[in-house]
């Protein structure tokens, strides 16, 4: 077991209310290792870039930046820390807020009515590659990314561009797996994973793994 694993799941809390941050930090499970806190878009981006946490618990309404809130944190911080996964944690249950941050690349969205145990479990599941949503919010995501007429055929056509191995790599990467985790899961080298990812992005005309996740969610491939 590595020192990092012994410490727990490296997690960053991003919320502009200090009382909420303190309360959440105290209520999280012992295996959730809070590596830092941020109160604004700019602070969050700086800390994600420097600390590279595995999971970010992210409010969707934040001051600073260009006014894009949590979604802006995801889009700007993700390229600097590609292994970091974002879980939206907000008082808002508005469809627009949910869809905006998920389109940006967040792996889930839960409300602040969730207990510390629920948030801890959601963070673990996101770290393991799952997409996590509070029950009533899942419908917004299905409506926004659900299949429409002809979408399944489009997805099949696009998948035909990828080899069987590329499709396996694509699904794991889109779920948030690190390259070394994909390599271990598929019994291939990390270099081979990198080669497959480059090929997948080129064939699908995407520029990042976060675009790949959004692409896969839209086609209900995860």
């Amino acid at each position: 077991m590595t020192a990092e694993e012994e410490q727990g799941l490296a997690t960053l809390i991003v919320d502009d209310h200090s009382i909420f941050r303190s309360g959440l930090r105290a209520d999280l499970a012992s295996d959730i290792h809070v590596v830092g806190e941020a109160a604004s878009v700019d602070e969050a981006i700086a800390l994600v870039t420097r600390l590279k946490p595995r999971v970010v618990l992210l409010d969707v309404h934040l001051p600073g930046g260009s006014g894009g809130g949590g979604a802006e944190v995801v889009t700007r911080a993700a390229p600097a820390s590609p292994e970091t996964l974002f879980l939206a944690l907000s008082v808002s249950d508005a469809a627009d807020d949910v869809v905006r941050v998920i389109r940006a690349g967040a792996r889930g969205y839960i409300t602040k009515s969730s207990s510390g145990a629920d948030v801890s479990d959601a963070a673990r599941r996101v770290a393991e590659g799952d997409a996590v949503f509070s029950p009533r919010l899942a419908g917004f995501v299905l409506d926004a990314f659900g299949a429409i007429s002809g979408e399944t055929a489009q997805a099949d056509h696009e998948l035909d561009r990828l080899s069987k191995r590329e499709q396996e790599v694509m699904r794991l990467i889109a779920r948030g797996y690190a390259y070394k985790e994909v390599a271990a899961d598929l019994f291939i080298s990390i270099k081979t994973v990198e080669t497959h990812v480059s090929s997948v992005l080129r064939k699908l005309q995407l520029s990042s793994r976060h675009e790949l996740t959004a692409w896969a969610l839209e086609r209900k491939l995860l």
Side-chain angles (χ1 to χ4, degrees):
M1 179 178 291
T2 66
E4 182 180 354
E5 289 172 332
E6 290 178 351
Q7 285 184 319
L9 179 62
T11 303
L12 177 70
I13 298 175
V14 181
D15 193 282
D16 60 336
H17 293 96
S18 61
I19 292 178
F20 176 79
R21 294 197 309 272
S22 299
L24 175 61
R25 186 168 191 156
D27 209 24
L28 290 172
S30 59
D31 64 320
I32 307 299
H33 175 51
V34 178
V35 296
E37 300 178 8
S40 69
V41 170
D42 305 289
E43 287 181 8
I45 293 168
L47 283 182
V48 170
T49 300
R50 179 165 62 87
L51 300 175
K52 293 181 169 49
R54 179 57 174 162
V55 174
V56 176
L57 300 176
L58 179 69
D59 194 5
V60 297
H61 295 296
L62 295 166
S66 301
E72 183 179 348
V73 172
V74 178
T75 55
R76 290 178 55 192
S81 183
E83 306 306 327
T84 295
L85 301 170
F86 297 85
L87 172 62
L89 177 60
S90 178
V91 69
S92 171
D93 60 2
D96 287 349
D97 287 334
V98 178
V99 172
R100 185 180 302 110
V101 74
I102 296 302
R103 285 194 185 279
R107 292 293 300 162
Y109 194 118
I110 58 177
T111 61
K112 288 182 177 178
S113 60
S114 304
S115 67
D118 288 340
V119 176
S120 300
D121 180 63
R124 294 188 203 101
R125 289 170 59 194
V126 165
E128 291 168 359
D130 290 341
V132 182
F133 299 93
S134 293
R136 73 178 304 272
L137 303 183
F140 298 150
V141 179
L142 290 175
D143 289 343
F145 295 102
I148 57 175
S149 178
E151 186 176 277
T152 301
Q154 177 191 0
D156 289 342
H157 173 70
E158 291 172 320
L159 283 175
D160 285 342
R161 304 176 195 168
L162 308 180
S163 68
K164 181 180 178 181
R165 179 62 87 189
E166 286 172 344
Q167 290 184 34
E168 292 173 337
V169 171
M170 176 273 294
R171 284 186 167 89
L172 292 175
I173 290 295
R175 288 171 184 162
Y177 282 54
Y179 284 9
K180 65 180 179 180
E181 293 171 327
V182 176
D185 195 70
L186 299 180
F187 301 101
I188 57 179
S189 70
I190 294 176
K191 183 65 176 177
T192 300
V193 173
E194 293 173 348
T195 300
H196 284 315
V197 171
S198 295
S199 180
V200 167
L201 293 177
R202 175 176 52 80
K203 289 180 179 181
L204 298 179
Q205 299 182 338
L206 302 172
S207 61
S208 70
R209 64 184 298 164
H210 296 280
E211 287 188 6
L212 179 63
T213 297
W215 179 90
L217 277 170
E218 286 179 349
R219 289 152 182 80
K220 302 180 75 173
L221 298 175
L222 301 184

